């Protein structure tokens, strides 16, 4: 029961971390953060939380280990740790970059799929045994991932088939071809009528000028 409670609380906290990260990555104005800034903020906090626990739980085991007593093995271990840290930094950075372009829900589904891939690889490469309960849990997870992708794909197809309301409103505001022809005809008729009036006015002025002043 304690182990289940710890796993459940860890899952809830991981989902909460993704939601808060998504909020900061999609914020407006000065509160918005990029992927690298998010990594520089969260990495020291995670290190400060894990390092004391690692010292309390594993310091004695590390001192007594052959990897700490042998210098060559210690160098290999340090290189392996650095390589793992490099991969972890790139993984977290890519996670924040993907989170900035998607949603927290998509990231949680991707995390479930990652666990499935890692578990399958461990069973194939390292011959880890999977119980019947593990297999049932993996099947449920795969059904959940498949259902999410199906719903998302179906929704995207409906959005593509449904015309945009703003686009339709804009098109409804635009005059049709027949209306455009009528407007052009009316504009040309108005311009021609205006020109004829101007010509008649000019002719009237010329006639009045030739007649000269009227003598009583």
């Amino acid at each position: 029961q304690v182990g289940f409670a710890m796993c459940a609380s860890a899952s809830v906290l991981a989902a909460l971390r993704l939601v808060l990260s998504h909020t900061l990555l999609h914020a407006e104005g000065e509160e918005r953060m990029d992927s690298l800034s998010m990594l520089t903020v969260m990495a020291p906090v995670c290190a400060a939380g894990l390092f004391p626990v690692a010292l309390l739980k594993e310091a004695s085991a590390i001192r007594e280990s052959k990897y700490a007593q042998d210098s060559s093995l210690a160098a290999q271990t340090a290189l392996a740790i650095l390589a793992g840290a490099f991969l972890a930094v790139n993984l977290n950075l890519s996670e924040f970059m993907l989170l900035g372009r998607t949603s927290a829900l998509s990231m949680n589904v991707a995390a479930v799929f990652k666990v499935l891939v890692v578990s399958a690889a461990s069973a194939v490469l390292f011959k880890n045994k999977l119980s019947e309960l593990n297999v049932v849990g993996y099947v449920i997870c795969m059904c959940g991932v498949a259902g999410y992708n199906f719903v998302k794909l179906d929704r995207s197809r409906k959005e593509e088939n449904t015309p945009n309301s703003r686009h339709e409103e804009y098109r409804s505001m635009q005059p049709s071809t027949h209306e455009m022809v009528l407007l052009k005809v009316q504009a040309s008729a108005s311009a021609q009528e205006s020109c004829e009036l101007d010509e008649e006015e000019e002719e009237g002025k010329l006639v009045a000028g030739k007649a000269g002043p009227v003598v009583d």
Side-chain angles (χ1 to χ4, degrees):
Q1 295 179 354
V2 176
F4 175 78
M6 293 179 67
C7 291
S9 60
S11 299
V12 172
L13 292 176
L16 180 61
R17 179 183 69 87
L18 290 177
V19 172
L20 295 177
S21 301
H22 178 268
T23 303
L24 291 175
L25 290 171
H26 291 268
E28 297 294 337
E30 297 180 354
E31 296 181 356
R32 185 170 184 175
M33 300 180 65
D34 57 1
S35 302
L36 188 59
S37 299
M38 182 71 68
L39 182 63
T40 56
V41 169
M42 295 191 64
V45 177
C46 295
L50 292 175
F51 190 69
V53 178
L55 287 179
L56 292 175
K57 295 293 184 179
E58 300 183 6
S60 59
I62 292 175
R63 286 195 301 267
E64 297 175 358
S65 175
K66 63 179 181 179
Y67 295 98
Q69 297 176 1
D70 191 349
S71 59
S72 61
L73 292 177
Q76 293 177 7
T77 304
L79 291 176
I81 292 174
L82 290 176
F86 177 76
L87 294 176
V89 169
N90 285 276
L91 174 63
N92 290 325
L93 184 60
S94 61
E95 177 182 317
F96 290 135
M97 292 177 65
L98 182 60
L99 187 60
R101 290 169 173 79
T102 57
S103 63
L105 180 59
S106 299
M107 284 300 304
N108 280 303
V109 175
V112 173
F113 183 73
K114 181 187 71 173
V115 171
L116 293 175
V117 173
V118 171
S119 301
S122 65
V124 173
L125 297 177
F126 302 104
K127 307 301 180 181
N128 291 336
K129 295 182 179 180
L130 299 177
S131 63
E132 296 179 355
L133 184 60
N134 296 137
V135 174
V136 172
Y138 292 149
V139 170
I140 294 174
C141 290
M142 286 188 291
C143 291
V145 173
Y148 171 78
N149 290 325
F150 175 77
V151 172
K152 191 173 182 178
L153 181 61
D154 183 65
R155 183 177 298 177
S156 63
R157 287 178 178 175
K158 289 181 180 179
E159 290 178 355
E160 290 177 358
N161 295 329
T162 303
N164 193 355
S165 59
R166 292 184 178 179
H167 181 63
E168 287 296 319
E169 183 180 356
Y170 176 76
R171 290 183 60 185
S172 64
M173 292 173 63
Q174 299 298 318
S176 61
T177 306
H178 181 65
E179 292 176 348
M180 288 291 294
V181 173
L182 291 178
L183 289 174
K184 289 181 179 180
V185 171
Q186 291 176 359
S188 60
S190 300
Q192 186 176 1
E193 183 179 357
S194 177
C195 291
E196 291 177 355
L197 291 176
D198 291 339
E199 291 178 357
E200 290 178 359
E201 185 178 356
E202 291 292 335
E203 291 178 358
K205 289 181 180 180
L206 291 173
V207 172
K210 292 180 179 180
V214 179
V215 181
D216 294 336

